Amino acid sequence: MSQSTKLEFHIGKIGGMVPLLTMVGLMLLLTFNGVGGPKAAWAPGFIAIILGMFLVKSKRDYFQSILDGIADKTGVVVITAWIFAAVLGSLMKAGGLVDGILWFGMSTGIQGSMFLIIVFMSTAIFAMGTGSSNGANLALAPILFPAGVYLGADPAFVALALLSGAVFGDNVAPISDTTIVGCTTQGADFGATVRQRMPLSLTAGAIALVALVVFGQGDGLVEAATQNGDSARPESLLMLLSVAAVVFFALKGRHLLEALSYGILVATVVGLGIGAFAVSDLFTVPSERGVSNGIIEDAIAGVTGAVVFVILILGVIKIFMNSGIMDDILAFITERVSSSTRSTELLMFFSTSVSSLLVSSNAPSQLLVGPTLVKPLGEKNNITPERRANLMSASVCSIFYMMPWCLAVMVWYSAVETSAISSGLAVPSASISFMAPYPWALLGVMMFSIITGWKRYGNQAQAQVQPA
């Protein structure tokens, strides 16, 4: 079946929403009962697919749609990047970087909620350099989550600092897919777009950091940190060179997978050089079937839950897209739009948000509404291409990152969950994503900007001010 072929349901186009709503509803049920997560989403996704089969007229087209969704290039790239980033994170942890950071925290006195600033900035820099919030969380959560908890920060806020920093980095990164898609669909200048969003993003980032410091102090396991810090070797901080290698090559324009590969190589060389692990720890022939053959296998196994979740959600989303209901939603919105700048910007922002929640992904949602809704409405109401691109980017970096069924949020939680379990720490609930400081701060800043016109046009000399 071609991608343009529409599915027909016995109950009309609304039938295309049933599998998606079923999967999301069951996932939220599990989340609010404290048992959410990627693996917990497997059964909801499977149930949703089977349920939809009874509503569709052509079963063959229905299941071909699911296969088309699973085979989507975006999903393949995301899954592959996750695997590489997970291996990098595992190598850094095996290299003793957690203990090295504990030593740093104990030596400098940067502990408790103050350490969350380092967590936020570390993931922000990684995501800014690579353009990937997913890669930042998968690579750094195994290191920074246990370190933050041991240094006395609240576990939930350590996790939220990881998420917030990664989203901030993704939001301001010129090489982020959300930036690229937003600018491309609107015909916006990349440099001007990034410059104009910086005051908005930096304001939201400052608010998020204040929230993390004020509320992020935990009961404290500083005694455990002291014990670990006493045995830690400062040379394990050399493992940070692998992060530097990833960011360096990503900023040089290399493919994300290539940059991650260089980071993996650096982590391997440093780890072997300081004696943190041996070649046999990376790969060996196990003594019996079912026993791990090394760090690489364990790392990949750690993202299996998220990978299967992606396969299921991509299939369910394709059912929704091929039902044609999204086209009707966009047409309905376009016909009823107001002509004022303020209301048009609000419509652009929330339409992109709703789209991202429905398709569980940010850049694809921009591809969906960017050319069909945002661009024509923006041109009609004299909203600059850069402003339109920034509205879309902020939209998919705010509400989207609060919802536990969205892909990037699932990746973050999977990384935190795996890190907590491997470190013997309590696993925070997936529902804490609803409290993510940076997404909330960015939402508030953008609403203020839209309503008041603050930073609406960036450099006032470059654009004619339009009445709100």
Side-chain angles (χ1 to χ4, degrees):
M1 184 184 76
S2 67
Q3 293 185 348
S4 59
T5 302
K6 301 299 182 184
L7 296 174
E8 296 184 2
F9 294 83
H10 295 295
I11 59 175
K13 292 182 179 180
I14 196 69
M17 292 192 69
V18 172
L20 180 60
L21 293 178
T22 299
M23 183 175 183
V24 171
L26 292 176
M27 286 172 59
L28 288 176
L29 175 64
L30 293 171
T31 297
F32 288 130
N33 280 278
V35 289
K39 289 186 69 174
W42 294 359
F46 193 82
I47 292 170
I49 289 173
I50 297 300
L51 176 62
M53 179 183 69
F54 294 102
L55 302 176
V56 74
K57 293 181 180 180
S58 172
K59 273 57 173 181
R60 177 182 295 275
D61 288 347
Y62 177 79
F63 284 105
Q64 186 59 52
S65 290
I66 294 173
L67 294 177
D68 289 343
I70 294 172
D72 182 78
K73 181 181 178 181
T74 301
V76 173
V77 172
V78 166
I79 289 173
T80 309
W82 290 356
I83 292 173
F84 278 63
V87 172
L88 174 60
S90 293
L91 286 171
M92 289 192 294
K93 184 174 184 179
L97 187 52
V98 173
D99 287 341
I101 291 176
L102 290 180
W103 172 85
F104 174 79
M106 297 304 299
S107 300
T108 61
I110 302 177
Q111 303 169 20
S113 63
M114 293 302 296
F115 185 75
L116 298 182
I117 298 175
I118 293 179
V119 176
F120 181 95
M121 296 305 298
S122 298
T123 51
I125 292 171
F126 194 102
M128 197 182 306
T130 62
S132 172
S133 64
N134 294 325
N137 281 315
L138 286 169
L140 300 182
I143 311 302
L144 296 176
F145 180 77
V149 176
Y150 287 139
L151 286 171
D154 183 274
F157 278 89
V158 179
L160 291 175
L162 285 163
L163 178 61
S164 292
V167 181
F168 172 78
D170 182 64
N171 183 213
V172 300
I175 61 174
S176 168
D177 56 353
T178 58
T179 301
I180 293 171
V181 172
C183 290
T184 302
T185 59
Q186 302 308 307
D189 178 82
F190 279 82
T193 299
V194 174
R195 286 195 301 272
Q196 290 181 23
R197 82 172 50 164
M198 290 305 291
L200 303 167
S201 300
L202 290 174
T203 301
I207 294 172
L209 279 174
V210 170
L212 289 169
V213 172
V214 171
F215 300 106
Q217 183 66 40
D219 295 333
L221 293 175
V222 179
E223 181 178 352
T226 303
Q227 295 172 358
N228 287 338
D230 289 340
S231 61
R233 297 181 303 172
E235 60 265 29
S236 62
L237 290 173
L238 290 172
M239 295 298 292
L240 290 172
L241 290 173
S242 59
V243 177
V246 174
V247 174
F248 174 79
F249 284 106
L251 291 176
K252 283 288 187 178
R254 304 297 179 89
H255 193 282
L256 175 59
L257 296 181
E258 182 183 357
L260 288 170
S261 296
Y262 290 133
I264 290 170
L265 291 174
V266 171
T268 301
V269 171
V270 173
L272 293 173
I274 65 176
F277 51 77
V279 174
S280 59
D281 293 319
L282 300 175
F283 175 79
T284 188
V285 179
S287 58
E288 57 184 283
R289 183 183 297 273
V291 177
S292 171
N293 59 37
I295 294 172
I296 297 174
E297 179 187 330
D298 292 339
I300 296 174
V303 296
T304 301
V307 169
V308 176
F309 165 75
V310 171
I311 291 174
L312 291 168
I313 194 68
L314 287 176
V316 171
I317 288 170
K318 194 63 175 180
I319 295 168
F320 170 76
M321 298 302 295
N322 281 2
S323 70
I325 193 170
M326 193 67 190
D327 296 334
D328 291 348
I329 292 173
L330 293 177
F332 178 85
I333 293 174
T334 303
E335 292 172 359
R336 290 160 177 78
V337 66
S338 171
S339 59
S340 73
T341 300
R342 183 183 296 117
S343 61
T344 301
E345 289 193 346
L346 286 170
L347 180 60
M348 290 177 177
F349 186 92
F350 286 107
S351 294
T352 309
S353 289
V354 171
S355 173
S356 69
L357 299 183
L358 290 174
V359 303
S360 187
S361 189
N362 42 24
S365 69
Q366 291 177 287
L367 285 171
L368 178 64
V369 302
T372 58
L373 178 69
V374 174
K375 187 174 183 178
L377 289 180
E379 291 177 341
K380 177 181 177 182
N381 291 279
N382 298 315
I383 299 173
T384 65
E386 291 73 27
R387 175 66 171 180
R388 301 195 303 261
N390 281 329
L391 286 170
M392 293 174 64
S393 179
S395 174
V396 298
C397 286
S398 54
I399 299 175
F400 172 83
Y401 276 97
M402 303 177 195
M403 303 303 163
W405 70 83
C406 293
L407 288 181
V409 181
M410 273 292 184
V411 174
W412 156 77
Y413 185 73
S414 175
V416 170
E417 181 183 45
T418 301
S419 176
I421 293 173
S422 65
S423 302
L425 299 171
V427 181
S429 170
S431 62
I432 63 172
S433 65
F434 291 114
M435 303 186 299
Y438 183 76
W440 271 111
L442 183 60
L443 175 62
V445 169
M446 292 307 299
M447 291 302 99
F448 179 82
S449 174
I450 291 173
I451 293 171
T452 66
W454 179 64
K455 298 299 180 182
R456 174 171 285 155
Y457 300 102
N459 186 344
Q460 295 294 328
Q462 296 178 5
Q464 179 181 353
V465 177
Q466 301 293 330

